[in-house]
């Protein structure tokens, strides 16, 4: 079997992105959009694509239907060099899909979760995970069968010696009730944005200071164009972003940051160096639309970053 640096899992959907239209259609109307794109969607899928483009050996696991959208999702990942051998097909379900109507910096999204929401912890390729040093999950709240299993999942990973990370993303049910006291001690890198961390702390009736008592987990809080804070022990370290004052949009910056951070961590870089590299990949992603991965290799990334920052 091939060796991997990381197994990435989580959400799994295509984006159908409509641009350049006068206004959103009302029920019963048809409006023409002058630009359209079929793109790789999903936070986890985008992290996997960025990481493979940056040079990491990535296996991605997500659930698709037995349909052409599932094939297309895998083709997008494969084009960056991501291994899709362990994808799970859910008979009777459609591959997840989001219709994105994008206007100026705002978007209206309509999602059919379909197969992606059927992924279970048992579907994960444990024989591969056991031989792979890193595991990352993104957007668990769109996977209902993981919602109450996160601590158990990360406990199992910790026992097998895997280094783990989790990007919670937005809780689509707005419950924010994941038990941080259980989860954080068995997780190595927690990667929420500032709003998500605030809501999770409120859902746990915890002040940020109380995180200190919970564990030695590295909590890496991203704060948009302000950069990143690492909260560990009783220390908070701040890192500035490579500011893009005129971003095309900031969608997917978090996924690009995570991919850069994890790739550098896998390469053995220090925590500070890895955060710095994540800030670079995050910043570059704000120079293009949506969650696109604008480079196919580390060299292309370096060339583009040097040109733009
Ligand atoms: N305007 C910007 N200029 C430069 N860097 C940025 C900008 N916006 C974001 N970044 C970088 O990307 C990182 C992640 O951004 P952010 O906190 O917005 O993630 P997020 O809210 O999780 O995004 P998403 O989930 O939509 O991908 C930031 O810490 C920063 O380093
Ligand atoms: Mg995010």
């Amino acid at each position: 079997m091939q060796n991997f640096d990381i197994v990435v899992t989580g959400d799994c959907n295509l984006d159908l992105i409509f641009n350049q239209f006068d206004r959103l259609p009302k029920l019963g109307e048809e409006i023409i959009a002058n630009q359209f794109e079929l793109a790789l969607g999903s936070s986890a899928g985008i992290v996997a694509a960025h990481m493979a483009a940056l040079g990491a050996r990535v296996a991605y696991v997500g659930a698709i239907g037995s349909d052409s959208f599932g094939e297309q999702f895998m083709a997008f990942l494969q084009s960056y060099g991501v291994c899709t051998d362990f994808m799970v097909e859910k008979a009777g379900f459609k591959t997840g899909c989001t219709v994105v109507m994008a206007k100026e910096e705002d978007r209206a999204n309509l999602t059919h979760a379909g197969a992606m929401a059927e992924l279970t912890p048992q579907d994960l390729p444990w024989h591969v995970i056991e031989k792979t040093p890193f595991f990352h999950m993104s957007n668990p709240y769109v996977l209902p069968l993981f919602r109450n299993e996160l601590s158990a999942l990360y406990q199992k990973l910790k026992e097998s010696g895997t280094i783990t990370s989790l990007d919670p993303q937005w809780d689509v049910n707005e419950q924010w009730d994941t038990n941080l006291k259980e989860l954080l001690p068995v997780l190595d890198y927690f990667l929420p944005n500032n709003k998500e961390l605030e809501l999770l702390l409120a859902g746990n009736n915890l002040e940020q200071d109380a995180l200190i008592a919970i564990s030695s987990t590295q909590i890496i809080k991203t704060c948009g164009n302000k950069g990143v804070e690492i909260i560990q022990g009783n220390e908070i370290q701040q890192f500035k972003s490579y500011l893009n004052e005129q971003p095309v949009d900031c969608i997917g910056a978090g996924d690009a940051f995570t991919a850069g951070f994890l790739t550098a961590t896998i390469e053995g870089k220090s925590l500070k160096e890895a955060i710095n590299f994540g800030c670079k990949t995050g910043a570059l992603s704000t120079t293009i639309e949506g969650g696109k991965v604008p480079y196919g290799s580390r060299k292309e990334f370096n060339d583009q970053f040097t040109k733009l920052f």
Side-chain angles (χ1 to χ4, degrees):
M1 193 184 74
Q2 223 179 317
N3 289 325
F4 300 103
D5 296 312
I6 189 163
V7 173
V8 175
T9 191
D11 50 348
C12 178
N13 63 273
L14 288 179
D15 280 348
L16 277 63
I17 307 173
F18 294 79
N19 275 300
Q20 293 182 11
F21 50 87
D22 291 337
R23 58 179 174 78
L24 290 178
K26 295 193 186 111
L27 277 181
E29 282 186 345
E30 183 171 2
I31 298 280
I32 300 294
N34 289 320
Q35 202 186 55
F36 169 77
E37 196 161 359
L38 178 64
L40 175 67
S42 74
S43 173
I46 292 168
V47 168
H50 272 280
M51 289 191 75
L54 291 168
R57 297 170 302 169
V58 185
Y60 174 85
V61 188
I64 50 173
S66 316
D67 52 21
S68 58
F69 272 24
E71 306 264 316
Q72 179 63 64
F73 183 88
M74 291 198 288
F76 275 132
L77 286 181
Q78 288 160 6
S79 72
Y80 292 100
V82 176
C83 172
T84 57
D85 293 357
F86 311 105
M87 297 285 299
V88 182
E89 257 185 46
K90 296 283 177 182
F93 291 90
K94 306 245 167 45
T95 297
C97 172
T98 297
V99 171
V100 182
M101 286 172 272
K103 199 149 178 53
E104 278 105 51
E105 286 194 23
D106 243 336
R107 300 174 146 213
N109 295 338
L110 185 62
T111 295
H112 174 67
M116 83 168 143
E118 300 303 309
L119 191 74
T120 70
Q122 295 73 36
D123 286 330
L124 298 179
W126 287 100
H127 64 295
V128 182
I129 291 169
E130 275 159 16
K131 290 190 183 151
T132 305
F134 280 79
F135 174 93
H136 174 72
M137 181 169 211
S138 195
N139 215 356
Y141 300 123
V142 299
L143 309 176
L145 303 170
F146 279 81
R147 176 177 276 276
N148 298 321
E149 298 298 325
L150 285 176
S151 300
L153 172 75
Y154 279 91
Q155 174 72 45
K156 184 168 170 183
L157 289 159
K158 192 178 177 67
E159 280 163 15
S160 70
T162 312
I163 303 168
T164 57
S165 54
L166 173 68
D167 177 351
Q169 295 284 30
W170 195 256
D171 181 349
V172 283
N173 298 334
E174 308 222 339
Q175 293 176 332
W176 302 106
D177 57 353
T178 296
N179 185 335
L180 295 181
K181 283 188 180 157
E182 259 177 36
L183 175 65
L184 294 187
V186 288
L187 175 63
D188 293 301
Y189 300 102
F190 190 43
L191 298 152
N193 71 17
N194 51 348
K195 190 69 196 166
E196 292 152 5
L197 184 60
E198 184 190 313
L199 290 164
L200 279 166
L201 287 170
N204 279 263
N205 286 320
L206 285 172
E207 300 288 328
Q208 183 163 300
D209 291 357
L211 289 175
I212 297 162
I214 293 181
S215 73
S216 59
T217 308
Q218 304 279 5
I219 297 171
I220 296 165
K221 175 170 84 168
T222 64
C223 310
N225 64 13
K226 292 191 184 66
V228 177
E229 281 182 9
I230 307 181
I231 307 162
Q232 195 200 22
N234 50 9
E235 256 186 73
I236 297 181
Q237 283 176 272
Q238 291 181 328
F239 295 80
K240 284 212 170 97
S241 67
Y242 288 84
L243 186 60
N244 176 6
E245 277 173 11
Q246 289 185 312
V248 174
D249 71 50
C250 296
I251 296 158
D255 300 327
F257 168 84
T258 295
F261 169 75
L262 290 175
T263 303
T265 303
I266 284 168
E267 289 168 356
K269 302 279 181 350
S270 70
L271 184 64
K272 277 188 187 170
E273 287 169 326
I275 299 271
N276 185 49
F277 189 58
C279 287
K280 288 184 175 178
T281 49
L284 190 64
S285 95
T286 66
T287 62
I288 47 148
E289 281 167 7
K292 278 189 210 157
V293 185
Y295 42 84
S297 68
R298 187 67 157 258
K299 183 179 179 315
E300 280 176 25
F301 166 78
N302 287 335
D303 292 348
Q304 288 179 25
F305 187 81
T306 314
K307 204 164 99 193
L308 292 168
F309 286 89

